[in-house]
Amino acid sequence: MKAIHYINQFFGQIGGEEAAGHEPEIREGQVGAAMALQAALGSGVDVTHTIICGDNFMGSNTEEAIRRILSFLEGKEFDIFFAGPAFRAGRYGVACGHICDAVQKKFGVPVLTSMNEENPGVEMYRSKMVIFRGGASAAAMKKDVAAMTGYGLRLIKGEKLLPAAREGYFGRGVRDQVWLDPPVNATDRVIDMLFKKLRGEPFQTELPIPKTDRVPIAPAIPPEELAKMNVALLTSGGIVPFGNPDRIQSASATRWGKYDITGIDDLKKGEYMTTHAGYDPAAANNDPDVVLPLDALRAYEKEGKIGGIHQYFYATVGTGTTQAEAARMAGEIVEELKSAGVRAAILTST
């Protein structure tokens, strides 16, 4: 049996953030994290090749990266494809999802990866592939690799596999019939669950429904009130002063910045830029106002449609950013705005 492993520039021992633009390459044998994968697989499966690609390259040149990697795999013999583990690293997780999805479609082999529940790659790809529940950092490498390889070995050997909750991967929304031994009628099962619920005992529904956060729509502000208010500008489109002084990540952001726009009517090319890796930056770099419309808001200010513009604009990057990080950053920014007496804001994306 043969396997091929995909990892990013860090786990491929190329470098850290400074090497995130590393172009795809394939090496014979095991490199970096692929050695841990081989150790966990044992002698039954041989990791013949390691594919390495920088997270930024995959994020900014996704189609090109996938095309190149698929070309590397042409003519290679492999029975299973592994990617990661990606832990909580958003760009890495999304990259693992991208390439696993492409590989299974092109070559029809099983694909396995692992991510932390906060990784955006989970929600993007959980319905398309098996993604194991991973740790938050590389400290969980051994455990996460063991989960992938244990399942992978049984999978390619054709052994019996258990439901997602018992195997340890994220549910894919796939329902399958399970025959109980001894059999129990549905009416008996549901009554048993009802009694457990009434007694306050733990029970497991046979049709779990995921819970999602719901944010209520803010009430409209009457025009006569808006004409007296300062309005703040926020963006997840990555608009920052040229050079990105706060080093906001181009994807999977954990930082935000605030920038003084006192006396500025227009965000000029060469003075501002986008650091966002999720869209073509050419238009935004040529005219940053297309993402953060300061020029339009200044026009409204002059026309008296708004009372003014808040002294600072706030920026981060949305692509790959986890819900938890987005909520944390939003809470911090909102506290600043409330302290400054700001009651209205416009949030733009890409």
Side-chain angles (χ1 to χ4, degrees):
M1 297 284 189
K2 297 179 180 179
I4 292 179
H5 192 195
Y6 173 91
I7 50 181
N8 72 354
Q9 81 284 351
F10 180 80
F11 291 101
Q13 300 179 338
I14 302 296
E17 192 64 29
E18 76 285 354
H22 186 76
E23 298 190 15
E25 63 167 305
I26 186 168
R27 300 187 190 181
E28 290 191 8
Q30 306 98 41
V31 179
M35 292 188 285
L37 185 77
Q38 181 65 79
L41 286 168
S43 59
V45 178
D46 183 20
V47 180
T48 60
H49 295 82
T50 306
I51 294 171
I52 305 169
C53 181
D55 288 336
N56 280 359
F57 189 90
M58 177 64 83
S60 299
N61 308 275
T62 305
E63 292 184 4
E64 172 67 11
I66 291 173
R67 184 191 65 77
R68 289 203 214 175
I69 293 170
L70 294 181
S71 72
F72 296 160
L73 298 176
E74 292 283 358
K76 301 285 190 303
E77 293 183 14
F78 60 108
D79 303 285
I80 191 167
F81 186 89
F82 292 93
F87 313 110
R88 198 177 281 173
R91 285 172 296 170
Y92 191 16
V94 172
C96 289
H98 282 330
I99 197 58
C100 282
D101 189 43
V103 168
Q104 68 181 353
K105 287 177 180 176
K106 173 82 172 175
F107 299 100
V109 300
V111 297
L112 296 175
T113 185
S114 169
M115 306 178 201
N116 183 263
E117 61 185 358
E118 288 291 339
N119 197 306
V122 172
E123 289 307 311
M124 291 175 66
Y125 284 105
R126 65 185 297 171
S127 65
K128 298 181 179 181
M129 65 194 64
V130 171
I131 303 175
F132 277 86
R133 294 180 176 272
S137 70
M141 174 70 78
K142 187 175 181 179
K143 176 180 69 70
D144 291 358
V145 167
M148 285 199 300
T149 55
Y151 182 90
L153 286 169
R154 289 164 43 228
L155 176 64
I156 59 180
K157 290 177 181 177
E159 297 180 8
K160 183 179 179 180
L161 303 172
L162 301 175
R166 294 181 63 184
E167 292 285 4
Y169 62 86
F170 294 97
R172 294 171 292 170
V174 176
R175 298 189 70 199
D176 197 6
Q177 292 194 67
V178 176
W179 302 100
L180 300 179
D181 186 17
V184 181
N185 290 333
T187 50
D188 293 329
R189 299 198 307 273
V190 72
I191 289 172
D192 181 58
M193 282 191 282
L194 176 60
F195 283 155
K196 287 182 178 179
K197 183 174 183 178
L198 291 173
R199 292 193 295 260
E201 298 172 1
F203 67 94
Q204 177 61 54
T205 176
E206 294 180 8
L207 184 61
I209 299 174
K211 295 180 180 179
T212 55
D213 289 340
R214 297 184 67 85
V215 179
I217 298 173
I221 300 171
E224 61 274 14
E225 290 187 29
L226 194 58
K228 302 174 185 177
M229 287 184 182
N230 270 1
V231 177
L233 269 173
L234 297 79
T235 185
S236 61
I239 300 300
V240 295
F242 194 82
N244 188 16
D246 292 304
R247 313 311 300 167
I248 296 173
Q249 299 95 329
S250 58
S252 304
T254 60
R255 304 189 192 108
W256 56 272
K258 73 172 187 178
Y259 307 103
D260 196 338
I261 47 176
T262 303
I264 299 176
D265 293 336
D266 185 23
L267 302 178
K268 298 185 181 298
K269 175 182 178 180
E271 296 179 7
Y272 294 87
M273 59 174 281
T274 181
T275 186
H276 201 293
Y279 66 96
D280 186 337
N285 287 338
N286 186 60
D287 181 7
D289 292 282
V290 300
V291 174
L292 191 78
L294 177 62
D295 54 353
L297 215 58
R298 287 295 185 202
Y300 281 168
E301 183 182 31
K302 292 173 183 176
E303 293 170 11
K305 292 182 178 179
I306 60 173
I309 301 173
H310 184 54
Q311 178 181 356
Y312 302 98
F313 78 82
Y314 299 79
T316 189
V317 165
T319 187
T321 299
T322 68
Q323 182 176 332
E325 287 293 342
R328 176 189 61 78
M329 290 189 284
E332 293 169 357
I333 293 170
V334 166
E335 284 304 311
E336 284 220 2
L337 294 176
K338 288 168 65 177
S339 297
V342 175
R343 294 175 51 211
I346 294 174
L347 170 64
T348 64
S349 60
T350 53

mmCIF file of all heavy atoms in Angstrom, residues 28-63:
data_model
loop_
_atom_site.group_PDB
_atom_site.id
_atom_site.type_symbol
_atom_site.label_atom_id
_atom_site.label_comp_id
_atom_site.label_asym_id
_atom_site.label_seq_id
_atom_site.Cartn_x
_atom_site.Cartn_y
_atom_site.Cartn_z
ATOM 1 N N GLU A 28 10.484 12.978 -3.110
ATOM 2 C CA GLU A 28 10.394 11.548 -2.839
ATOM 3 C C GLU A 28 10.619 11.285 -1.351
ATOM 4 O O GLU A 28 11.421 11.959 -0.705
ATOM 5 C CB GLU A 28 11.434 10.780 -3.662
ATOM 6 C CG GLU A 28 11.125 10.749 -5.150
ATOM 7 C CD GLU A 28 12.019 9.775 -5.899
ATOM 8 O OE1 GLU A 28 12.768 9.014 -5.241
ATOM 9 O OE2 GLU A 28 11.958 9.758 -7.135
ATOM 10 N N GLY A 29 9.886 10.319 -0.820
ATOM 11 C CA GLY A 29 10.043 9.960 0.578
ATOM 12 C C GLY A 29 9.314 10.907 1.505
ATOM 13 O O GLY A 29 8.412 11.638 1.103
ATOM 14 N N GLN A 30 9.727 10.882 2.767
ATOM 15 C CA GLN A 30 9.039 11.668 3.789
ATOM 16 C C GLN A 30 9.882 12.872 4.220
ATOM 17 O O GLN A 30 11.077 12.738 4.468
ATOM 18 C CB GLN A 30 8.749 10.805 5.026
ATOM 19 C CG GLN A 30 8.006 9.521 4.713
ATOM 20 C CD GLN A 30 8.925 8.324 4.601
ATOM 21 O OE1 GLN A 30 9.857 8.170 5.369
ATOM 22 N NE2 GLN A 30 8.667 7.451 3.628
ATOM 23 N N VAL A 31 9.210 14.020 4.300
ATOM 24 C CA VAL A 31 9.851 15.257 4.735
ATOM 25 C C VAL A 31 9.054 15.816 5.907
ATOM 26 O O VAL A 31 7.817 15.840 5.879
ATOM 27 C CB VAL A 31 9.906 16.291 3.592
ATOM 28 C CG1 VAL A 31 10.557 17.591 4.085
ATOM 29 C CG2 VAL A 31 10.632 15.735 2.382
ATOM 30 N N GLY A 32 9.731 16.285 6.946
ATOM 31 C CA GLY A 32 9.055 16.950 8.059
ATOM 32 C C GLY A 32 7.970 16.103 8.685
ATOM 33 O O GLY A 32 8.194 14.964 9.115
ATOM 34 N N ALA A 33 6.740 16.647 8.708
ATOM 35 C CA ALA A 33 5.620 15.959 9.359
ATOM 36 C C ALA A 33 5.295 14.628 8.704
ATOM 37 O O ALA A 33 4.666 13.766 9.333
ATOM 38 C CB ALA A 33 4.381 16.860 9.343
ATOM 39 N N ALA A 34 5.698 14.442 7.461
ATOM 40 C CA ALA A 34 5.430 13.164 6.786
ATOM 41 C C ALA A 34 6.178 12.018 7.462
ATOM 42 O O ALA A 34 5.757 10.858 7.365
ATOM 43 C CB ALA A 34 5.819 13.251 5.308
ATOM 44 N N MET A 35 7.267 12.320 8.157
ATOM 45 C CA MET A 35 7.976 11.264 8.878
ATOM 46 C C MET A 35 7.145 10.755 10.057
ATOM 47 O O MET A 35 7.142 9.557 10.360
ATOM 48 C CB MET A 35 9.341 11.786 9.354
ATOM 49 C CG MET A 35 10.320 12.051 8.203
ATOM 50 S SD MET A 35 11.991 12.452 8.751
ATOM 51 C CE MET A 35 11.745 14.139 9.319
ATOM 52 N N ALA A 36 6.418 11.670 10.717
ATOM 53 C CA ALA A 36 5.525 11.254 11.799
ATOM 54 C C ALA A 36 4.387 10.414 11.248
ATOM 55 O O ALA A 36 3.952 9.435 11.878
ATOM 56 C CB ALA A 36 4.982 12.483 12.528
ATOM 57 N N LEU A 37 3.898 10.779 10.075
ATOM 58 C CA LEU A 37 2.834 10.007 9.441
ATOM 59 C C LEU A 37 3.316 8.597 9.119
ATOM 60 O O LEU A 37 2.623 7.612 9.376
ATOM 61 C CB LEU A 37 2.363 10.716 8.172
ATOM 62 C CG LEU A 37 1.173 10.070 7.463
ATOM 63 C CD1 LEU A 37 -0.122 10.384 8.185
ATOM 64 C CD2 LEU A 37 1.082 10.528 6.009
ATOM 65 N N GLN A 38 4.524 8.494 8.566
ATOM 66 C CA GLN A 38 5.069 7.178 8.236
ATOM 67 C C GLN A 38 5.251 6.321 9.482
ATOM 68 O O GLN A 38 4.941 5.126 9.483
ATOM 69 C CB GLN A 38 6.405 7.334 7.513
ATOM 70 C CG GLN A 38 7.041 6.006 7.092
ATOM 71 C CD GLN A 38 6.224 5.271 6.058
ATOM 72 O OE1 GLN A 38 6.262 5.593 4.880
ATOM 73 N NE2 GLN A 38 5.481 4.260 6.486
ATOM 74 N N ALA A 39 5.733 6.921 10.545
ATOM 75 C CA ALA A 39 5.928 6.177 11.788
ATOM 76 C C ALA A 39 4.613 5.623 12.316
ATOM 77 O O ALA A 39 4.547 4.492 12.805
ATOM 78 C CB ALA A 39 6.590 7.070 12.831
ATOM 79 N N ALA A 40 3.545 6.413 12.195
ATOM 80 C CA ALA A 40 2.240 5.966 12.678
ATOM 81 C C ALA A 40 1.642 4.890 11.777
ATOM 82 O O ALA A 40 0.943 3.993 12.245
ATOM 83 C CB ALA A 40 1.290 7.157 12.780
ATOM 84 N N LEU A 41 1.903 4.965 10.495
ATOM 85 C CA LEU A 41 1.369 3.979 9.553
ATOM 86 C C LEU A 41 2.065 2.631 9.689
ATOM 87 O O LEU A 41 1.481 1.583 9.427
ATOM 88 C CB LEU A 41 1.510 4.481 8.108
ATOM 89 C CG LEU A 41 0.549 5.588 7.676
ATOM 90 C CD1 LEU A 41 0.982 6.182 6.343
ATOM 91 C CD2 LEU A 41 -0.885 5.063 7.577
ATOM 92 N N GLY A 42 3.331 2.662 10.081
ATOM 93 C CA GLY A 42 4.091 1.427 10.207
ATOM 94 C C GLY A 42 4.501 0.869 8.861
ATOM 95 O O GLY A 42 4.529 1.581 7.844
ATOM 96 N N SER A 43 4.780 -0.409 8.836
ATOM 97 C CA SER A 43 5.304 -1.023 7.616
ATOM 98 C C SER A 43 4.229 -1.389 6.605
ATOM 99 O O SER A 43 4.528 -1.755 5.476
ATOM 100 C CB SER A 43 6.098 -2.282 7.979
ATOM 101 O OG SER A 43 5.266 -3.204 8.678
ATOM 102 N N GLY A 44 2.956 -1.272 7.000
ATOM 103 C CA GLY A 44 1.882 -1.680 6.100
ATOM 104 C C GLY A 44 1.646 -0.724 4.955
ATOM 105 O O GLY A 44 1.122 -1.114 3.903
ATOM 106 N N VAL A 45 2.001 0.565 5.130
ATOM 107 C CA VAL A 45 1.788 1.579 4.104
ATOM 108 C C VAL A 45 3.056 2.399 3.969
ATOM 109 O O VAL A 45 3.631 2.827 4.969
ATOM 110 C CB VAL A 45 0.595 2.506 4.448
ATOM 111 C CG1 VAL A 45 0.433 3.579 3.378
ATOM 112 C CG2 VAL A 45 -0.696 1.697 4.583
ATOM 113 N N ASP A 46 3.474 2.647 2.753
ATOM 114 C CA ASP A 46 4.695 3.404 2.482
ATOM 115 C C ASP A 46 4.338 4.798 1.978
ATOM 116 O O ASP A 46 3.652 4.936 0.954
ATOM 117 C CB ASP A 46 5.534 2.662 1.441
ATOM 118 C CG ASP A 46 6.861 3.354 1.163
ATOM 119 O OD1 ASP A 46 7.304 4.152 2.015
ATOM 120 O OD2 ASP A 46 7.453 3.096 0.102
ATOM 121 N N VAL A 47 4.762 5.824 2.710
ATOM 122 C CA VAL A 47 4.576 7.205 2.247
ATOM 123 C C VAL A 47 5.664 7.475 1.212
ATOM 124 O O VAL A 47 6.814 7.734 1.564
ATOM 125 C CB VAL A 47 4.652 8.217 3.410
ATOM 126 C CG1 VAL A 47 4.446 9.640 2.888
ATOM 127 C CG2 VAL A 47 3.608 7.899 4.472
ATOM 128 N N THR A 48 5.298 7.422 -0.041
ATOM 129 C CA THR A 48 6.287 7.481 -1.116
ATOM 130 C C THR A 48 6.715 8.894 -1.469
ATOM 131 O O THR A 48 7.835 9.105 -1.927
ATOM 132 C CB THR A 48 5.739 6.812 -2.385
ATOM 133 O OG1 THR A 48 4.544 7.503 -2.804
ATOM 134 C CG2 THR A 48 5.406 5.345 -2.125
ATOM 135 N N HIS A 49 5.820 9.877 -1.265
ATOM 136 C CA HIS A 49 6.127 11.259 -1.656
ATOM 137 C C HIS A 49 5.522 12.245 -0.665
ATOM 138 O O HIS A 49 4.480 11.969 -0.049
ATOM 139 C CB HIS A 49 5.582 11.576 -3.051
ATOM 140 C CG HIS A 49 6.211 10.785 -4.146
ATOM 141 N ND1 HIS A 49 5.804 9.499 -4.455
ATOM 142 C CD2 HIS A 49 7.222 11.080 -5.009
ATOM 143 C CE1 HIS A 49 6.530 9.035 -5.467
ATOM 144 N NE2 HIS A 49 7.395 9.977 -5.810
ATOM 145 N N THR A 50 6.184 13.390 -0.532
ATOM 146 C CA THR A 50 5.671 14.504 0.268
ATOM 147 C C THR A 50 5.474 15.699 -0.647
ATOM 148 O O THR A 50 6.385 16.067 -1.407
ATOM 149 C CB THR A 50 6.654 14.885 1.387
ATOM 150 O OG1 THR A 50 6.972 13.735 2.167
ATOM 151 C CG2 THR A 50 6.053 15.965 2.282
ATOM 152 N N ILE A 51 4.303 16.295 -0.595
ATOM 153 C CA ILE A 51 4.021 17.519 -1.358
ATOM 154 C C ILE A 51 4.035 18.688 -0.384
ATOM 155 O O ILE A 51 3.408 18.638 0.678
ATOM 156 C CB ILE A 51 2.661 17.434 -2.072
ATOM 157 C CG1 ILE A 51 2.700 16.337 -3.143
ATOM 158 C CG2 ILE A 51 2.296 18.771 -2.700
ATOM 159 C CD1 ILE A 51 1.354 16.041 -3.756
ATOM 160 N N ILE A 52 4.753 19.737 -0.744
ATOM 161 C CA ILE A 52 4.876 20.919 0.110
ATOM 162 C C ILE A 52 4.400 22.136 -0.669
ATOM 163 O O ILE A 52 4.778 22.320 -1.841
ATOM 164 C CB ILE A 52 6.339 21.128 0.557
ATOM 165 C CG1 ILE A 52 6.888 19.870 1.241
ATOM 166 C CG2 ILE A 52 6.438 22.330 1.499
ATOM 167 C CD1 ILE A 52 8.386 19.903 1.467
ATOM 168 N N CYS A 53 3.577 22.977 -0.013
ATOM 169 C CA CYS A 53 3.121 24.215 -0.658
ATOM 170 C C CYS A 53 2.899 25.266 0.418
ATOM 171 O O CYS A 53 2.353 24.974 1.487
ATOM 172 C CB CYS A 53 1.822 23.971 -1.431
ATOM 173 S SG CYS A 53 1.180 25.434 -2.289
ATOM 174 N N GLY A 54 3.333 26.482 0.144
ATOM 175 C CA GLY A 54 3.137 27.584 1.091
ATOM 176 C C GLY A 54 1.669 27.952 1.210
ATOM 177 O O GLY A 54 0.925 27.949 0.225
ATOM 178 N N ASP A 55 1.241 28.266 2.429
ATOM 179 C CA ASP A 55 -0.160 28.600 2.661
ATOM 180 C C ASP A 55 -0.616 29.815 1.852
ATOM 181 O O ASP A 55 -1.736 29.841 1.329
ATOM 182 C CB ASP A 55 -0.391 28.872 4.152
ATOM 183 C CG ASP A 55 -0.336 27.599 4.984
ATOM 184 O OD1 ASP A 55 -0.570 26.514 4.426
ATOM 185 O OD2 ASP A 55 -0.053 27.700 6.197
ATOM 186 N N ASN A 56 0.218 30.836 1.758
ATOM 187 C CA ASN A 56 -0.166 32.019 0.989
ATOM 188 C C ASN A 56 -0.240 31.725 -0.497
ATOM 189 O O ASN A 56 -1.100 32.251 -1.206
ATOM 190 C CB ASN A 56 0.812 33.173 1.241
ATOM 191 C CG ASN A 56 0.531 33.889 2.541
ATOM 192 O OD1 ASN A 56 -0.403 33.553 3.258
ATOM 193 N ND2 ASN A 56 1.359 34.865 2.865
ATOM 194 N N PHE A 57 0.676 30.889 -0.976
ATOM 195 C CA PHE A 57 0.630 30.555 -2.400
ATOM 196 C C PHE A 57 -0.674 29.832 -2.715
ATOM 197 O O PHE A 57 -1.338 30.141 -3.704
ATOM 198 C CB PHE A 57 1.824 29.700 -2.827
ATOM 199 C CG PHE A 57 1.914 29.523 -4.321
ATOM 200 C CD1 PHE A 57 2.626 30.429 -5.099
ATOM 201 C CD2 PHE A 57 1.261 28.475 -4.960
ATOM 202 C CE1 PHE A 57 2.669 30.294 -6.477
ATOM 203 C CE2 PHE A 57 1.307 28.328 -6.337
ATOM 204 C CZ PHE A 57 2.025 29.240 -7.099
ATOM 205 N N MET A 58 -1.043 28.881 -1.873
ATOM 206 C CA MET A 58 -2.298 28.157 -2.104
ATOM 207 C C MET A 58 -3.482 29.099 -1.994
ATOM 208 O O MET A 58 -4.427 29.035 -2.783
ATOM 209 C CB MET A 58 -2.436 27.008 -1.107
ATOM 210 C CG MET A 58 -3.751 26.235 -1.205
ATOM 211 S SD MET A 58 -4.018 25.364 -2.771
ATOM 212 C CE MET A 58 -3.078 23.862 -2.456
ATOM 213 N N GLY A 59 -3.447 30.018 -1.014
ATOM 214 C CA GLY A 59 -4.565 30.927 -0.824
ATOM 215 C C GLY A 59 -4.719 31.944 -1.932
ATOM 216 O O GLY A 59 -5.837 32.297 -2.313
ATOM 217 N N SER A 60 -3.594 32.421 -2.473
ATOM 218 C CA SER A 60 -3.636 33.479 -3.486
ATOM 219 C C SER A 60 -3.644 32.934 -4.908
ATOM 220 O O SER A 60 -4.017 33.648 -5.844
ATOM 221 C CB SER A 60 -2.429 34.415 -3.318
ATOM 222 O OG SER A 60 -2.441 35.024 -2.053
ATOM 223 N N ASN A 61 -3.213 31.695 -5.078
ATOM 224 C CA ASN A 61 -3.114 31.102 -6.416
ATOM 225 C C ASN A 61 -3.706 29.687 -6.390
ATOM 226 O O ASN A 61 -3.077 28.723 -6.829
ATOM 227 C CB ASN A 61 -1.648 31.025 -6.862
ATOM 228 C CG ASN A 61 -0.925 32.349 -6.730
ATOM 229 O OD1 ASN A 61 -0.976 33.197 -7.617
ATOM 230 N ND2 ASN A 61 -0.235 32.530 -5.613
ATOM 231 N N THR A 62 -4.927 29.593 -5.861
ATOM 232 C CA THR A 62 -5.503 28.284 -5.579
ATOM 233 C C THR A 62 -5.574 27.398 -6.818
ATOM 234 O O THR A 62 -5.127 26.236 -6.789
ATOM 235 C CB THR A 62 -6.909 28.433 -4.973
ATOM 236 O OG1 THR A 62 -6.828 29.288 -3.817
ATOM 237 C CG2 THR A 62 -7.461 27.082 -4.551
ATOM 238 N N GLU A 63 -6.120 27.909 -7.897
ATOM 239 C CA GLU A 63 -6.274 27.088 -9.107
ATOM 240 C C GLU A 63 -4.923 26.649 -9.646
ATOM 241 O O GLU A 63 -4.751 25.497 -10.055
ATOM 242 C CB GLU A 63 -7.060 27.852 -10.165
ATOM 243 C CG GLU A 63 -8.521 28.071 -9.799
ATOM 244 C CD GLU A 63 -9.300 28.756 -10.902
ATOM 245 O OE1 GLU A 63 -8.721 28.991 -11.999
ATOM 246 O OE2 GLU A 63 -10.488 29.068 -10.684
#
